[in-house]
Amino acid sequence: MHVPPGFAVVTPYIFAAEADAYVKFLAAAFGAVEIGRSTAPDGRIANCQLRFDTAAIMVSEASEAFPASRAALYLYVADADGAVAQAIAAGAEQIMDVDDMPYGDRQGGVRDPSGNIWWVSQRKSPEPYF
């Protein structure tokens, strides 16, 4: 089995209304880097691949056949406080204050302009969760 570098056997795929603006939000909010894009004849995003450090996601323009999706994503960062502040400055809505969690993460939550939830987490413990 071959899985492209940066992708996992399960990779998030988000359908978003105004996908181009959503891709720009992901870059501004979380530092996502666009690694490839294909467009439909009308110029809308058919598939855009974005890298978040060692992981990737895909984004496409929502349509009647593929309506906007809602997901909850868990994003590891080096600095949860700074990352949540950056996401809010880029247009996300804070849904959970950043705080130290009993499971060893410093974590906050935001809802992006497309309605997806991002749990922004800084792992504070070298121990596994379980």
Side-chain angles (χ1 to χ4, degrees), residues 52-66:
F52 293 75
D53 193 8
T54 61
I57 70 167
M58 293 186 230
V59 174
S60 288
E61 184 70 43
S63 66
E64 188 174 319
F66 302 101

Side-chain angles (χ1 to χ4, degrees), residues 73-97:
L73 301 123
Y74 206 93
L75 178 65
Y76 285 104
V77 297
D79 172 15
D81 295 273
V84 166
Q86 182 175 327
I88 292 166
E93 168 197 0
Q94 187 166 13
I95 58 172
M96 185 176 86
D97 291 339

